[in-house]
Amino acid sequence: MTDPDDVPSTYLTRLRAICGALPETHEQPAWIGMRWRVRQRTIAHVYMRDDDCVVTFRSPGDEIAGLLASGPPFAKAAWGDDVVVMTLGDDTDWEEVAELLTESYRVQAPKRLAQHL
């Protein structure tokens, strides 16, 4: 198990900026790592898996195949039909992360909130 303090602060800082800009999103410690939620639905979850820092997020069905076909840093999560795992690293494209997490928000947020994006 990892706690929020195990996630590198540089990743937490970047993810906080991205997720914190989304309407009515809040951050909370998860069973491992940290997660961001809109209402009671998780839009992003970051944690340490072995020696890697990963973030999970929701993706619409038509985009999942493209992400998974591109290979690393993307992989299918072992749970949820629409959950993608992305390994974070020195070469992470943070603009892409922002787009993916915004899309995850659109999937999870009530339509009234999602329309504000």
Side-chain angles (χ1 to χ4, degrees):
M1 286 251 192
T2 63
D3 66 34
D5 293 334
D6 293 336
V7 175
S9 63
T10 54
Y11 297 147
L12 280 176
T13 299
R14 287 180 177 267
L15 292 168
R16 284 177 173 138
I18 293 166
C19 295
L22 300 168
E24 294 187 32
T25 300
H26 62 279
E27 176 182 323
Q28 66 182 193
W31 58 98
I32 58 172
M34 185 67 71
R35 66 182 171 183
W36 289 266
R37 304 183 94 189
V38 57
R39 307 278 167 92
Q40 296 302 313
R41 303 180 98 193
T42 300
I43 60 168
H45 181 193
V46 65
Y47 58 94
M48 296 302 295
R49 182 178 64 190
D50 300 322
D51 291 330
D52 292 324
C53 186
V54 298
V55 62
T56 65
F57 56 91
R58 303 287 175 148
S59 184
D62 58 342
E63 292 183 15
I64 291 174
L67 290 172
L68 297 178
S70 68
F74 301 104
K76 179 76 178 87
W79 67 95
D81 292 336
D82 62 350
V83 182
V84 177
V85 179
M86 179 182 189
T87 302
L88 303 175
D90 294 337
D91 58 347
T92 296
D93 179 346
W94 288 98
E95 287 183 28
E96 180 180 36
V97 172
E99 291 171 12
L100 294 168
L101 297 186
T102 299
E103 195 61 38
S104 181
Y105 179 90
R106 285 187 178 104
V107 169
Q108 294 293 81
K111 293 200 184 316
R112 180 185 63 77
L113 289 177
Q115 73 185 11
H116 292 289
L117 298 178

